[in-house]
Amino acid sequence: MSGINPHFIKIAVDELVKTQDSIIKKSVSEEVGNIIIQHALGAAAAGLGAAWIPGAGGTAALAASVGVIWSMYYRINKALGIKLSKTLLKSLASAVITNIAASAASVIGGTVTATALSFIPGVGNGAASVVMAGVDYAVVFASGLVYIKILTNLFKAGKNPEEMSADELKAAAKSAVKNEDMSKIVREAKKEYTNARKSGDVSGKETIDREE
């Protein structure tokens, strides 16, 4: 998966597979992991460019991640055979990123740092772009993990996500975030991305074709 070790994702997807083994085949486990990593890398590459906007770059890049996240959710659902509307997924993606930002101080700290650095010409803009790339990767990665946790919790409770309202799914998202150490997940995801950039396993130019 592009030189990145998605250990959190693998563990989460394996747990999901166990809850619905007759429905969700184990063969999709790697596919779901790849979908999450690909979208996280695409968000990071977008963050590299958006953070060059003085003052507003960090906030703009983080907000743009919502579009990447719902697209990721849509493709995860397609792989798992789950049918949820794009409108509902957009609403859920916004709720998930809000909850993650509230739970992981490192996400907000990264955005503020990138925004401040972007005011400094040249070196400042470059530093801001590197900070936001890691933050965007981590946010989308964490959002993918949260979605897998949401589905796992719902299946364990005998609930069908296709029959739930937007508010019910948002409540499930809030609960999933609350039960995870999001600061740790975000911090380790940022570290993995940084190490992958340094080793050359990740170029920072990865792209994805988002759903519209």
Side-chain angles (χ1 to χ4, degrees):
M1 295 184 186
S2 301
I4 294 192
N5 176 23
H7 56 281
F8 283 118
I9 296 298
K10 185 179 186 307
I11 293 172
V13 175
D14 286 348
E15 183 180 0
L16 172 62
V17 168
K18 291 177 182 178
T19 66
Q20 294 285 310
D21 195 39
S22 61
I23 298 176
I24 302 173
K25 303 301 182 183
K26 292 184 178 180
S27 60
V28 306
S29 178
E30 184 174 353
E31 180 182 358
V32 170
N34 278 325
I35 289 171
I36 294 172
I37 297 300
Q38 288 165 3
H39 280 75
L41 289 174
L48 282 170
W52 282 83
I53 305 172
T59 303
L62 193 58
S65 293
V66 174
V68 177
I69 293 167
W70 82 257
S71 176
M72 173 177 65
Y73 289 175
Y74 180 85
R75 290 177 184 174
I76 290 174
N77 284 351
K78 189 174 181 180
L80 300 178
I82 297 172
K83 296 181 180 180
L84 294 176
S85 73
K86 291 182 177 180
T87 299
L88 191 154
L89 291 176
K90 291 177 182 178
S91 176
L92 181 59
S94 181
V96 167
I97 198 171
T98 298
N99 282 300
I100 290 176
S103 299
S106 57
V107 175
I108 298 176
T111 304
V112 172
T113 299
T115 300
L117 286 172
S118 68
F119 281 108
I120 305 173
V123 175
N125 290 128
S129 66
V130 172
V131 170
M132 276 314 302
V135 170
D136 286 336
Y137 174 86
V139 167
V140 174
F141 180 95
S143 297
L145 177 66
V146 167
Y147 191 59
I148 298 303
K149 292 290 185 178
I150 291 171
L151 295 178
T152 300
N153 293 339
L154 292 178
F155 288 145
K156 283 184 176 180
K159 297 180 180 179
N160 183 351
E162 295 179 359
E163 299 174 353
M164 299 176 68
S165 67
D167 286 341
E168 289 172 327
L169 287 173
K170 287 180 182 179
K174 185 174 183 179
S175 177
V177 171
K178 184 178 179 180
N179 291 326
E180 297 293 329
D181 186 346
M182 297 311 304
S183 291
K184 178 181 179 181
I185 292 169
V186 169
R187 183 172 60 253
E188 292 198 14
K190 286 170 65 178
K191 182 179 179 180
E192 286 185 351
Y193 179 80
T194 299
N195 290 339
R197 284 292 303 277
K198 289 180 178 179
S199 67
D201 288 332
V202 170
S203 68
K205 298 179 181 180
E206 289 77 13
T207 60
I208 52 170
D209 293 323
R210 285 169 38 183
E211 295 291 333
E212 298 295 339

